[in-house]
Amino acid sequence: MIGLQIADIKDFTTKLFLRETFDSFEVTEAEFVTGFRVAIDGHLTEPEKGQRYSGWSAVRPLAFQVIRGRELPHSFHIVLRLSDANVAKTLTSLGLPYTAEDIGGLFLNLRYEHKQITAVTGCSFQTFTLDKTLEREWDQVVRRFFRHHKIPFEEV
């Protein structure tokens, strides 16, 4: 697990809310605080093809409507999860001995508060393991993802 402080908030929020940059993720939950609080549960009411959560691409327009306006939101918290299909691809590309069924989720937690955005990685397994290889590799994948999309960050 690593924490990354986002250096350019305006560019990051543009990529998050207006571009397809994070559309390979699903959203498990999100909360936005403006003049009021909006909470989103990303669980699909009718799961399809093994997908349990809504894609960020479906939630993104709603999230943007909530935060847009003259004033910045007070805060937001978004929990993104790599889709099972992308988890399988990631495991294969990293050459790790796990299957997508072994993994509870590869997460990217985004939090905006006090005029700062922090991204924190997370990894959960379906069973207990002391092996931290996947966690370290996921941290590297997120760093590469940010660099690829020209998202400047500092580790915190």
Side-chain angles (χ1 to χ4, degrees):
M1 178 173 72
I2 56 169
L4 306 173
Q5 186 79 40
I6 304 304
D8 186 339
I9 292 173
K10 184 175 182 180
D11 179 62
F12 182 83
T13 54
T14 296
K15 290 174 180 171
L16 180 62
F17 295 110
L18 298 175
R19 306 279 187 270
E20 297 175 357
T21 308
F22 291 88
D23 285 0
S24 60
F25 289 92
E26 300 170 336
V27 60
T28 63
E29 63 182 83
E31 180 180 73
F32 303 91
V33 180
T34 58
F36 52 91
R37 183 181 312 267
V38 174
I40 297 173
D41 179 348
H43 286 85
L44 293 171
T45 53
E46 296 180 23
E48 52 190 57
K49 298 177 189 171
Q51 186 177 352
R52 297 173 291 169
Y53 301 98
S54 178
W56 175 244
S57 60
V59 175
R60 184 167 36 90
L62 173 62
F64 178 68
Q65 290 299 318
V66 171
I67 66 153
R68 72 181 249 185
R70 289 187 211 181
E71 296 182 26
L72 292 172
H74 299 292
S75 65
F76 65 74
H77 180 218
I78 304 167
V79 180
L80 297 175
R81 177 186 183 277
L82 198 62
S83 69
D84 289 339
N86 283 325
V87 168
K89 289 177 190 175
T90 300
L91 293 171
T92 299
S93 72
L94 296 173
L96 296 175
Y98 303 108
T99 66
E101 293 77 29
D102 296 330
I103 310 304
L106 296 176
F107 298 96
L108 183 59
N109 296 281
L110 305 173
R111 182 174 298 279
Y112 171 77
E113 58 188 356
H114 309 296
K115 299 183 180 179
Q116 295 182 330
I117 296 179
T118 305
V120 177
T121 61
C123 174
S124 75
F125 284 87
Q126 295 291 13
T127 59
F128 178 76
T129 180
L130 292 173
D131 184 4
K132 300 293 183 193
T133 306
L134 178 58
E135 185 175 324
R136 287 190 299 273
E137 292 295 333
W138 176 237
D139 295 344
Q140 289 299 329
V141 167
V142 171
R143 287 181 185 108
R144 283 193 302 272
F145 176 84
F146 278 17
R147 288 184 189 114
H148 174 77
H149 290 286
K150 296 177 176 49
I151 298 171
F153 63 88
E154 294 179 18
E155 296 207 25
V156 290

